[in-house]
Amino acid sequence: MSPQDLIRKKRDGKRFTPAEIDAFVQGVCDGTWADYQTSALLMAMFVNGLNLAEQNALTSAMLASGEHFDFSELDAPVADKHSTGGVGDKTSLLIAPMVAACGVYVPMISGRGLGYTGGTLDKLESISGYNVRLSKSEFKKTLKKCGFALAGQTENIVPADKKLYALRDATATVESIPLIVASIMSKKLAEGLDALVLDVKTGSGAFMQSERDVRRLARALVKTGNAFDVKTEAVISDMNQPLGQYVGNALEVFECLKLLRNDAEAQTKPTLDLSIELAARILILCGVADTIESSNLKIQNVLASGEALEKFRQNIELQGGDAKICDDPEVLLDKHLLKIKIKSPASGYISKIDAGEIGRAISAIGGGRVKVEDQIDCAVGYACEKKLGDAVAEHETLGTLFCRSEAQAAKVLAKLQMAYKIGDEKSPKPKLIKEIIK
Ligand code: URA
């Protein structure tokens, strides 16, 4: 069928066969489809939707567009976690060493931050010397040696997604559940996993904000994962405030190291709680633990014994980074930064936090990117002091900005202050874990 026939078919609300979806993805990858034809079909898919069979066929065709990992020779299960992204979301840095210390391999192919959400690769690059550009064989070698490897996507993994995502971004067709599922799951399935836990975020700092849409996305992701024989679950988690204490690349690595060293401050607790929940679910899906209680305990044990910290140290050494941060996390912090306190304009209770606005403020001073090619400043960031439901007095500190200059501070101070709403009544703290989708 020609591109015009396929566009017409979806424009008229009809269903595609797997062969037709294969022809589309093939045409996108070999250049026989023009960008305007691909964009027209993406818009028809966006408007008229794809059913589950089409969603799975698109995932399969995209997966087949590149190379896959095969870890079948490994002597233990292989699993990963994927997050839809948030502000201060640093759980990968804890989950990988904790799960590896419990005997499950974690081949984590991660992304860079774009817009106001952070990316694991950028966080890791705040560790001096850490190399996220591993070849396929270096990635495998690291995984075998220390139980986890963290690297960026190569050109050869799901090349169809690169092309399709760029066109979706340019044609306002990103927010389609089947297109999101095919994009995320094709990349995760290329990792050759036995199990996958998805952290699907909802709230002011999430890329999809409505809880109803988030639930639909989580269900669709889980259905497709399981259809490909990867045991998949989703955790719907709260992103109505930054996760844990810090936002900003080096600061987030610092928070994770403090947690791995069991000497973190109280504000970091949500980071640990969510990481343990996600890691515990991975262990259960992999058959390494039977119940959520026993799984939690296993993870608490590898944290308390320092085994998870040792896994992280081993990984940093294998990936060329400076492992001294495991003994002295302060090395990560740039002593030259200005620390500016953000003060509450009124007394009351924190009733709302626009986490997205905090993420955008940090991006605006160099902590994140607006365009893919932007350079970032790993050191800048924000420390959250007051969280939802906390009481606050007028002029009390809401959080601390870590920045390079007074001019940078002036650019974002009002934005940061306005990200908080102070009410008269104490509202309940949001539940961190909202729902588990199996
Ligand atoms: N993240 C992805 O990888 N793909 C999407 O389509 C949306 C978010």
Side-chain angles (χ1 to χ4, degrees), residues 1 6 17-28 30 32-33 61:
M1 258 190 179
L6 289 178
T17 63
E20 287 168 335
I21 290 184
D22 281 345
F24 162 57
V25 174
Q26 179 112 40
V28 171
D30 66 19
T32 51
W33 277 55

Side-chain angles (χ1 to χ4, degrees), residues 190-309:
E191 291 179 10
L193 305 174
D194 298 306
L196 173 66
V197 171
L198 297 145
D199 177 12
V200 186
K201 300 203 177 280
T202 173
S204 62
F207 102 106
M208 196 177 254
Q209 303 201 349
S210 123
E211 254 189 81
R212 191 170 144 266
D213 288 346
V214 164
R215 204 166 284 121
R216 283 176 53 222
L217 173 63
R219 288 205 188 104
L221 288 162
V222 168
K223 276 192 184 144
T224 292
N226 286 314
F228 284 80
D229 289 330
V230 175
K231 290 181 186 143
T232 309
E233 274 184 20
V235 171
I236 299 185
S237 73
D238 183 69
M239 190 23 78
N240 279 301
Q241 55 187 338
L243 183 68
Q245 188 173 15
Y246 292 108
V247 180
N249 295 294
L251 289 164
E252 292 185 36
V253 179
F254 175 76
E255 177 171 343
C256 292
L257 277 167
K258 297 284 274 184
L259 284 165
L260 288 169
R261 291 172 52 81
N262 302 301
D263 71 350
E265 290 176 48
Q267 290 100 320
T268 63
K269 191 171 180 301
T271 305
L272 186 62
D273 289 350
L274 181 58
S275 303
I276 291 180
E277 175 77 28
L278 296 164
R281 296 202 169 269
I282 292 176
L283 297 192
I284 296 174
L285 290 179
C286 289
V288 170
D290 296 330
T291 62
I292 193 77
E293 291 76 20
S294 66
S295 199
N296 264 310
L297 196 62
K298 256 186 194 298
I299 293 160
Q300 311 262 17
N301 286 341
V302 295
L303 273 172
S305 66
E307 286 165 87
L309 176 66

Side-chain angles (χ1 to χ4, degrees), residues 82 161 165 168 174 179-180 183-184 187 207:
H82 174 80
D161 185 58
Y165 193 86
R168 285 168 60 208
V174 168
L179 296 181
I180 296 172
S183 165
I184 292 177
K187 289 176 283 191
F207 102 106

Side-chain angles (χ1 to χ4, degrees), residues 26 49 69 105 117 127 163 169 202 235 238 312 346 364 417 425 428:
Q26 179 112 40
F69 281 100
Y105 288 104
T117 60
I127 304 172
K163 183 95 208 207
D169 198 30
T202 173
V235 171
D238 183 69
F312 201 19
Q417 202 179 46
E425 289 184 18

